[in-house]
Amino acid sequence: MKRAKRVRDDDGTPSALSRRAVVGGAALAALTVTGAAAGTAVAAPAAAAGTGLPWEPVPLPEQRPVTEYQVPVAGGGSLWCWDTGGDGEPVVLLHPGSGSGESWPYQQPVLAAAGYRVIGYSRRGAYRSVAGTKAEADTASGDLDTLADHLGLDRFHLSGSAAGGPVALDYALGYEDRLLSLTVSGSIMGVQDASYLELTEALQPDPFGDLPVAVKELGPSYRGGDQDGVAAWLAVNARARTADAFAQSLAHTLTWAALETLTLPVQLITGDGDLYSPPSIMRLNAQHLRAERTHVVAEAGHNPHWEQPAAWNRLLIAFLRRHGARGR
């Protein structure tokens, strides 16, 4: 029999929780404000919050039934998409470059249980999607708008992780009135200001690019603490990129000045062990996004949604609820 884990609720009182309850979203990580940066919160792994005990791996939860689509896009491409359906507010998840529409097994059932219509898809050249002809292809954000039209979305929440972050920001710059909220997680964000490029390049000196993908993308604590999870993530990564893949352009040049024009609710999330976008970089970008919330997920690297899903899911759901259309 599995023992229940002792964690503390937001009011500081202990409560007994099983791993299944944590996965299902019944318990989510407590937040504590750090002294290092005002306005930045640390999300602790749920099994460790307030106890001093190490977190335990979270097993992959059972997935909700979905409807799958192949959405046609310009240039002969198509986007593989899954959709939990229902009448809840839509949440569209944009995957990292190391992943695909398969990157969300920890989010799909939890967000659906929280009442949302959850949608994930593979961008051109990712798992089960067709890249089409590069010369005739639309931008990545243009493809997203085509998908939103195809699915009949009016206004929706958008969350972009890692390489999905620049696509999410590009979409916000072009279609801000269509978004209820924007979350960017573990992302360099694609900002092209010279000083920012110099800074981010300094974080990736040679031979950074030659490191194993799991070392670059997953934090050391997670790699040491959940080897089965690492293997599952590597399996998604191994089939993520298709043979016809090509680099897809954005509609806008992402600069700090451009990001400062956005007025929609934004939150930024990163892992404390993210080698691409550490907390200091997130705080720098937050200054130019008027970010309402900034969060650091403990014991996570570049993929906190996968490494510490209970903590990450809590942050996303709280933000979605704060900015839902029905609450306005």
Side-chain angles (χ1 to χ4, degrees), residues 173 176 256-264 288 290:
L173 288 171
E176 183 172 4
W256 280 327
L259 299 186
E260 287 167 1
T261 68
L262 295 174
T263 60
L264 82 166
H288 300 280
R290 305 173 190 172

Side-chain angles (χ1 to χ4, degrees), residues 29-185:
L31 294 179
T32 56
V33 177
T34 70
T40 300
V42 172
T51 67
L53 297 175
W55 57 271
E56 288 194 5
V58 177
L60 289 171
E62 183 177 352
Q63 301 296 287
R64 289 290 186 97
V66 297
T67 301
E68 297 185 28
Y69 304 90
Q70 283 288 342
V71 179
V73 287
S78 68
L79 307 178
W80 172 64
C81 168
W82 53 261
D83 180 357
T84 62
D87 60 1
E89 290 182 353
V91 182
V92 177
L93 304 172
L94 292 174
H95 63 80
S98 58
S100 68
E102 287 194 293
S103 293
W104 310 106
Y106 291 108
Q107 283 68 51
Q108 187 250 61
V110 176
L111 292 173
Y116 294 97
R117 176 184 175 184
V118 195
I119 297 162
Y121 74 99
S122 293
R123 296 190 294 278
R124 293 177 191 251
Y127 177 74
R128 295 186 65 183
S129 288
V130 177
T133 304
K134 183 175 183 178
E136 299 175 350
D138 201 348
T139 62
S141 58
D143 282 352
L144 171 55
D145 205 54
T146 297
L147 181 139
D149 286 342
H150 186 89
L151 298 181
L153 306 184
D154 180 15
R155 302 187 70 201
F156 57 95
H157 301 277
L158 184 60
S159 178
S161 290
V167 179
L169 291 165
D170 192 48
Y171 189 83
L173 288 171
Y175 306 94
E176 183 172 4
D177 60 350
R178 199 163 188 177
L179 295 180
L180 294 168
S181 73
L182 173 63
T183 296
V184 179
S185 176

Side-chain angles (χ1 to χ4, degrees), residues 5-6 10 21 27 30 127 131 152 159 165 167 184 189 222 268 303 325:
K5 299 299 170 189
R6 300 292 290 181
D10 286 343
Y127 177 74
S159 178
V167 179
V184 179
M189 299 175 56
Y222 179 73
L268 302 180
N303 289 262

